[in-house]
Amino acid sequence: MAESKKEQAPNNGAGTRRRGDVLENAILQAAWDELETTGYNRLTMEAVAVRAQTNKTAVYRRWPNKAQLIIAALIKFAPKPSLEAADMGDLRTDVLTFLQGIFKPLQAIGAETIHGLMSEYPGKEHPMSKPLPPRSEDALFAAMKAIVGNAEKRGELQPDRLPERVISLPVDLLRYEMLTTHGSVSEDIVVQIVDELFLPLVKAVAQAE
Amino acid sequence: MAESKKEQAPNNGAGTRRRGDVLENAILQAAWDELETTGYNRLTMEAVAVRAQTNKTAVYRRWPNKAQLIIAALIKFAPKPSLEAADMGDLRTDVLTFLQGIFKPLQAIGAETIHGLMSEYPGKEHPMSKPLPPRSEDALFAAMKAIVGNAEKRGELQPDRLPERVISLPVDLLRYEMLTTHGSVSEDIVVQIVDELFLPLVKAVAQAE
DNA sequence: AGAGTACGGTACGTACCGTACCTTATATGA
DNA sequence: TCATATAAGGTACGGTACGTACCGTACTCT
């Protein structure tokens, strides 16, 4: 009798109403799925709610807008590059493997999403969780510094000769290419960046004899 | 009597209804003004129409969406960099003056607008008038090639030694910085790019003895 | 058991989009 | 000079998405 109100429990027969982390994860998962199938621009809060089998209210209770929601979804579900600096014996190999390792993760997020986020994001008055952090806090930059540090320890480079701009050059250019190339970026861009730009530069500035 | 319908001619007393290029320019001017005061995201077609003292219909008759309208406004009103390669006697001066010349125009457009355009722009199936053209058609790249060519003629560089990536490096990095730096980019980034990256690279690869 | 919390669900007001429709001014040329 | 086509002015609409309010109801916790 009292059960008649349930009208065929809408989910599985077990505990019906999700809460807290369970619901939060379901929403983030839905946002990530929606992002992959629909793309950032056409993604709507309502579609995310529907896919998560909940409603907009539950979404807005947690994230105030689309940008914040998607950032949270990226943090949780986007493929993360390995940030441990490979240490294989020479600088070229280390940088190449590192860049190749971040290539696919960057590509998985996609230019449309980045542009959308950076376009919509408040920026001012919002010093938290930006899509692209300043260089000093950038994990990819830190990884490159570690790689260069290893090469210095091995004696490949004279210490402290490389300006920050040189160290960040490969990651910056890779990101630039991802942002501005509609369609897919060929993976050999990584090799070009290393062999035509980074290594000649290193050689000119700081290579030990 | 028949004049009573005019209700105090809303514009100047002279020819009332604008057409063709006059109206088109008024709309583009309004779009440009609106872009500068409101910003790309919050700019609406209706606001442009109101500022141009016309209505949405007249706008949509000419441009199918916001992105196209803004691109047209940029082409007409955005400050254009000088594309003639300076030829002052040495490569460093030429590249510096060139980069400094494109600095302000790039900054005038602004990251928000570029991100918005690149986010909304169809891209696929639309091979026309992209915000960022491919390198081969990029006017800034062509200018850099001319500058390098001048240096080769002077004997500063050995001819045909510089890969395209080296030539486009300064412009690419400058654009990257403009796109990813919220707030204002300091102008000495230009000097850094030239002195820490481009010139050492040129020296390493192609400088004549 | 009771009380607070947070989800489910709906409905609403707002904003903007893009289009349809009609009226009216202007350019053109027969 | 008048007729006609064109394009402007202007309004109104359907549609979509946003973000919020409200309320009933399940769940949690003590």
Side-chain angles (χ1 to χ4, degrees), chain A residues 17-19 54-55 57 61-62:
Chain A
R17 192 172 281 191
R18 296 162 297 173
R19 303 185 158 247
T54 178
N55 51 301
T57 315
R61 271 197 267 264
R62 295 174 163 76

Side-chain angles (χ1 to χ4, degrees), chain B:
Chain B
M1 320 258 177
E3 292 175 352
S4 66
K5 272 188 177 175
K6 274 187 166 181
E7 301 168 356
Q8 305 274 27
N11 279 339
N12 40 30
T16 315
R17 195 171 279 190
R18 296 161 297 174
R19 305 187 156 242
D21 289 347
V22 178
L23 181 56
E24 177 160 330
N25 288 337
I27 295 173
L28 288 178
Q29 177 73 60
W32 173 251
D33 292 348
E34 199 70 13
L35 186 64
E36 287 208 310
T37 61
T38 310
Y40 185 85
N41 291 322
R42 304 179 19 177
L43 177 148
T44 75
M45 299 297 259
E46 183 135 27
V48 171
V50 167
R51 187 187 279 264
Q53 304 193 63
T54 177
N55 50 307
K56 279 192 296 181
T57 316
V59 180
Y60 278 108
R61 270 197 268 263
R62 294 174 163 77
W63 302 276
N65 53 53
K66 179 165 137 180
Q68 305 266 1
L69 168 62
I70 295 305
I71 288 176
L74 289 178
I75 289 173
K76 191 163 185 67
F77 289 105
K80 303 288 180 305
S82 145
L83 293 177
E84 345 170 16
D87 193 355
M88 306 188 133
D90 81 306
L91 180 59
R92 179 173 186 276
T93 309
D94 287 358
V95 175
L96 270 181
T97 53
F98 173 64
L99 289 182
Q100 277 155 357
I102 66 180
F103 182 87
K104 281 193 187 301
L106 273 184
Q107 199 170 236
I109 296 180
E112 182 193 336
T113 301
I114 302 286
H115 283 299
L117 286 177
M118 299 201 67
S119 167
E120 289 184 5
Y121 210 75
K124 335 171 181 181
E125 325 296 336
H126 256 263
M128 40 169 291
S129 74
K130 297 172 194 167
L132 280 182
R135 223 197 299 292
S136 54
E137 305 162 18
D138 182 355
L140 299 188
F141 177 67
M144 276 297 302
K145 271 213 305 212
I147 291 173
V148 168
N150 288 340
E152 289 172 348
K153 279 185 207 146
R154 286 193 299 264
E156 278 190 275
L157 305 182
Q158 294 180 13
D160 300 328
R161 289 283 216 88
L162 288 185
E164 289 203 343
R165 289 216 168 271
V166 175
I167 297 175
S168 69
L169 173 68
V171 169
D172 289 349
L173 271 190
L174 187 54
R175 281 188 177 137
Y176 175 77
E177 211 75 21
M178 298 285 193
L179 279 180
T180 58
T181 305
H182 283 207
S184 57
V185 180
S186 163
E187 191 157 357
D188 56 5
I189 189 192
V190 167
V191 179
Q192 290 182 27
I193 289 174
V194 172
D195 286 337
E196 298 181 359
L197 301 176
F198 183 68
L199 285 184
L201 206 41
V202 167
K203 183 173 295 193
V205 174
Q207 189 164 66
E209 296 292 303

